[in-house]
Amino acid sequence: MTPRLAVTGSTGHVGGEVARLLSNAGYEQKLIVRDPTRAPDLPGAKIAQASYAEREAAVEALRGSEVLFMVSGAEAQDRVDQHRTFIDAAAEAGIQHIIYTSFLAAAPDATFTLGRDHWATEEHIRNSGMAYTFLRDNFYLDVLPLFAGNEGVLRGPAGDGRVAAVARTDVARAAVVVLENPVAHVGRTWDLTGPEALSLSEVAAIITRVTGRPTRYEEETVEEAYASRAPYGVPDWQLDAWVSTYTAIASGQLERTTTAVQELTGSAPLDLEKLLTR
């Protein structure tokens, strides 16, 4: 018997697809959203309003649910604090099991600075007393073409490093399998990757060949990367995150491929060419 499910992030890509897949399969769920007017209209879905930073509202929204699918919050300087508030609210509301979308190289000293946020969140969940499952996603395959911007240039200090980026749809499919039988995944950490590790030069070549849009990779030093992004006027933590996206690729921490998507869903994850031609 599937437990009572609560799903966050349903107005976004991964959480939205998870909610749609659950609905299509006939599952009932509660969608926790900040803005109910943006929530998807899905059969079997109830809507509850709360943000990660609103403890009392989150407790009320989560009451009656047993298993929580928690998509990591929007990038923010206080994201870890928001996560901790929401996790504490989940425990108070009676949630028994959290499935959290983390990051492949999550660690207290992760090269990708936001990977440290994910590690801190994992630690808080581990210490919460609730059961947990972590879906550690690599960078999203869907986002790599967007890095090229209007110029068609992937620019950053990634060197010859490789990244086994994973399609958001594959993360969602894997999450639904876990949500359908969460007891089977208690205490598990699933490292979700695509089927191949590509350098950014190879990414650019595939984008060019499949879409016909000329795209290339341009190497920067770390200093050049900070200088080229400084005009955007974002805070230091955001600059660090942008630049460390590329240095994380250069570090080799993101080149490992796994069979987790295949094991969970029974079908192979999408590669970049298939994603672009869908």
Side-chain angles (χ1 to χ4, degrees), residues 198-226:
L198 300 171
S199 69
L200 292 190
S201 294
E202 291 170 333
V203 169
I206 292 170
I207 294 171
T208 300
R209 174 168 53 80
V210 175
T211 70
R213 178 191 177 203
T215 304
R216 60 186 172 85
Y217 169 58
E218 183 177 298
E219 172 72 5
E220 287 181 311
T221 66
V222 170
E223 293 74 17
E224 289 169 340
Y226 274 98

Side-chain angles (χ1 to χ4, degrees), residues 75-153:
E75 296 178 3
Q77 190 168 17
D78 66 342
R79 179 163 67 164
V80 173
D81 289 336
Q82 292 184 37
H83 283 177
R84 287 171 175 155
T85 297
F86 192 69
I87 293 161
D88 292 345
E92 183 179 340
I95 293 292
Q96 299 169 14
H97 186 167
I98 293 183
I99 293 96
Y100 172 67
T101 59
S102 187
F103 179 64
L104 182 72
D109 58 350
T111 301
F112 179 49
T113 54
L114 298 185
R116 303 168 195 175
D117 290 359
H118 288 290
W119 173 260
T121 300
E122 286 185 2
E123 283 290 276
H124 201 69
I125 292 172
R126 289 187 188 98
N127 295 325
S128 69
M130 292 177 284
Y132 59 84
T133 305
F134 298 138
L135 303 179
R136 285 187 165 186
D137 315 333
N138 205 320
F139 286 140
Y140 290 141
L141 195 62
D142 318 60
V143 175
L144 293 183
L146 304 180
F147 286 176
N150 295 328
E151 297 177 278
V153 180

Side-chain angles (χ1 to χ4, degrees), residues 4-260:
R4 296 187 297 275
L5 303 175
V7 173
T8 71
S10 63
T11 60
H13 293 283
V14 173
E17 185 159 357
V18 166
R20 285 190 294 274
L21 290 172
L22 288 171
S23 180
N24 290 343
Y27 293 108
E28 295 185 356
Q29 59 188 311
K30 185 185 290 185
L31 306 181
I32 313 299
V33 295
R34 288 175 296 178
D35 181 357
T37 66
R38 296 182 58 220
D41 184 13
L42 299 172
K46 297 178 180 178
I47 308 300
Q49 184 175 7
S51 74
Y52 284 176
E54 298 172 313
R55 177 160 178 159
E56 290 184 7
V59 170
E60 184 62 29
L62 291 168
R63 284 199 193 281
S65 299
E66 297 169 309
V67 173
L68 168 63
F69 179 63
M70 181 180 173
V71 177
S72 56
E75 296 178 3
Q77 190 168 17
D78 66 342
R79 179 163 67 164
V80 173
D81 289 336
Q82 292 184 37
H83 283 177
R84 287 171 175 155
T85 297
F86 192 69
I87 293 161
D88 292 345
E92 183 179 340
I95 293 292
Q96 299 169 14
H97 186 167
I98 293 183
I99 293 96
Y100 172 67
T101 59
S102 187
F103 179 64
L104 182 72
D109 58 350
T111 301
F112 179 49
T113 54
L114 298 185
R116 303 168 195 175
D117 290 359
H118 288 290
W119 173 260
T121 300
E122 286 185 2
E123 283 290 276
H124 201 69
I125 292 172
R126 289 187 188 98
N127 295 325
S128 69
M130 292 177 284
Y132 59 84
T133 305
F134 298 138
L135 303 179
R136 285 187 165 186
D137 315 333
N138 205 320
F139 286 140
Y140 290 141
L141 195 62
D142 318 60
V143 175
L144 293 183
L146 304 180
F147 286 176
N150 295 328
E151 297 177 278
V153 180
L154 288 159
R155 183 181 290 112
D160 296 324
R162 294 176 174 274
V163 57
V166 62
R168 289 185 293 218
T169 188
D170 289 324
V171 173
R173 291 192 306 115
V176 167
V177 171
V178 174
L179 287 163
E180 287 176 330
N181 186 19
V183 172
H185 303 274
V186 169
R188 291 292 302 267
T189 295
W190 290 98
D191 293 340
L192 304 181
T193 76
E196 59 186 350
L198 300 171
S199 69
L200 292 190
S201 294
E202 291 170 333
V203 169
I206 292 170
I207 294 171
T208 300
R209 174 168 53 80
V210 175
T211 70
R213 178 191 177 203
T215 304
R216 60 186 172 85
Y217 169 58
E218 183 177 298
E219 172 72 5
E220 287 181 311
T221 66
V222 170
E223 293 74 17
E224 289 169 340
Y226 274 98
S228 66
R229 290 155 178 78
Y232 289 99
V234 300
D236 289 346
W237 70 266
Q238 185 72 70
L239 270 179
D240 292 339
W242 286 353
V243 174
S244 66
T245 298
Y246 295 89
T247 56
I249 295 172
S251 74
Q253 294 175 354
L254 303 178
E255 67 181 7
R256 180 170 58 92
T257 59
T258 74
T259 59

